[in-house]
Amino acid sequence: MGVVNVTPDSFSDGGRFLDADAAAAHGVQLAREGADLLDVGGESTRPHAERVGEDEERRRVIPVLERLADQVSGVQLSIDTSKLAVARAALAAGATYVNDVTAFRHDPELAGLVAEAKADCCLMHMLGDPRTMQDDPRYDDVVADVKAFLEARLAFAVAEGVPEDRVMLDPGIGFGKTVEHNLQLLRRLDEIAALGRPVVIGTSRKSFLGKLTGREVGERLAGTIASNVLALERGATVFRVHDVAPVRDALAVAAATVAR
Ligand code: HH2
């Protein structure tokens, strides 16, 4: 899953692809590099990010999805949003996947929309919201708590009519987690995979990699690769990254070595 951020303030590439043509060209490039899925987002979820209104979010992402729907084939388009109206417009513009970092908590009707559109979705764990999530996050057992949350959100989605086989689950690396929480989740990712749904993992360029390596955001590719390779070994099957080509190579080699 290649990341296409159409925002002024994303933590690693904010402002680079605010223009629809530049964002679409970036998506085309990621598709050429081997992305199977392009995740287009118009609102940053980095810690302390301000919320974006739905009109502005739509204005950012819809022209990009329309261009990508014209310009790439064989690649699924995903909308990274929690807002019903944005998702509705995105599905009409060619998206067939909804990536909701609130797992249908922000707009519960989003589940019904996904069901009706026969779209796929990713439900992610986050403690609190982006403005508050990094203020002293605490868990009894982070892996058990995240697993129970994802199980409950999967049940909600299914109750709203989304077929179980259209749902992927994501432990939400960096969303209301300390470095140690992120590491626990990566160490014990097999417990999340045991829920039986495909696991999406998003470690790309994130700050825990900076804390472990001392690297700035643009220098975290090696850490991104290491964490994705190990996530693959522990059962993840979808890897949300900014640098598709190098991660794809690393995963191809890692996958070839994993026992089947
Ligand atoms: N991480 C980010 C955004 N969306 N979605 C899922 N499913 N999993 C993730 O780990 C995830 C996500 C944050 O990364 P990015 O989009 O690069 O930054 P920003 O939120 O600042 O735009």
Side-chain angles (χ1 to χ4, degrees), residues 112-185:
L113 176 71
V114 166
E116 192 188 301
K118 299 189 171 43
D120 298 310
C121 63
C122 175
L123 305 181
M124 195 195 80
H125 175 271
M126 168 167 43
L127 190 68
D129 66 54
R131 281 181 306 267
T132 58
M133 65 188 182
Q134 290 306 107
D135 302 344
D136 193 23
R138 284 165 195 253
Y139 299 86
D140 287 336
D141 171 341
V142 65
V143 180
D145 290 6
V146 167
K147 183 175 177 178
F149 170 90
L150 292 175
E151 197 166 20
R153 297 318 295 167
L154 171 63
F156 171 78
V158 170
E160 294 296 305
V162 182
E164 186 165 328
D165 64 3
R166 291 211 177 270
V167 183
M168 300 185 185
L169 302 174
D170 184 334
I173 297 297
F175 286 86
K177 281 118 187 156
T178 62
V179 173
E180 186 50 37
H181 293 144
N182 292 322
L183 295 176
Q184 281 284 346
L185 285 162

Side-chain angles (χ1 to χ4, degrees), residues 3 5 7 9-13 39 43-46 80 99 101 122 124 170 172-173 175 200-202 206 240 242:
V3 180
N5 283 325
T7 58
D9 57 345
S10 285
F11 78 95
S12 80
D13 55 6
D39 189 35
E43 177 178 54
S44 173
T45 50
R46 71 177 211 291
D80 186 349
N99 175 25
V101 298
C122 175
M124 195 195 80
D170 184 334
I173 297 297
F175 286 86
V200 180
I201 197 81
K206 283 187 179 167
R240 185 180 181 280
H242 302 86

Side-chain angles (χ1 to χ4, degrees), residues 3 12 36 50 68 83 93 95 128 173 189 227 233 242 246 260:
V3 180
S12 80
D36 298 310
E50 285 305 320
L68 288 173
K83 299 191 185 80
I173 297 297
L189 200 61
S227 52
E233 203 231 345
H242 302 86
R260 276 162 225 280

Side-chain angles (χ1 to χ4, degrees), residues 88-111:
R88 184 177 285 122
L91 292 166
T96 56
Y97 188 110
V98 176
N99 175 25
D100 181 3
V101 298
T102 76
F104 299 153
R105 288 178 300 155
H106 177 72
D107 249 337
E109 300 107 283
L110 195 43

